[in-house]
Amino acid sequence: MPAYIIGRVQITDPAQYTEYTQVTPGIIAKFGGHFIARGGETITLEGQPEKARIVIIEFPTLAAAQAFYDSAEYRQAKTLRDTAAVAQFIAIDGVVPT
């Protein structure tokens, strides 16, 4: 069953964050993941207006998403983001299409 990592990111240092975005795609791909959305235009349909950068990454399984996040490669890449943004990331199981 597919799984997704959903991120809400408040960028504080755009130049540093750009470095982070350049190294993560290869790491994500190594764990079978790919971007579904990556900071595109958003429209708030209900509730408070969303101002964060939204990122959605699909993985083949929840275990693969967790393995990506826990990997040594991502931990190293994450140090670039830690000083460039404040982020919340959650992982969630998807649904099997009927």
Side-chain angles (χ1 to χ4, degrees), residues 18-32:
T18 296
E19 289 184 44
Y20 167 77
T21 64
Q22 292 173 351
V23 299
T24 54
I27 303 166
I28 290 166
K30 179 179 175 182
F31 291 88

Side-chain angles (χ1 to χ4, degrees), residues 36-92:
I36 300 295
R38 191 177 188 194
E41 181 181 359
T42 61
I43 299 171
T44 300
L45 300 175
E46 189 171 328
Q48 295 295 317
E50 183 60 69
K51 298 186 186 301
R53 175 184 171 93
I54 304 297
V55 178
I56 304 170
I57 309 167
E58 183 178 56
F59 288 90
T61 63
L62 193 58
Q66 184 74 61
F68 152 74
Y69 189 82
D70 292 340
S71 71
E73 298 95 334
Y74 185 66
R75 278 196 309 272
Q76 184 174 359
K78 188 175 172 286
T79 63
L80 295 169
R81 192 197 75 228
D82 287 343
T83 58
V86 177
Q88 175 190 38
F89 286 87
I90 60 170
I92 184 171

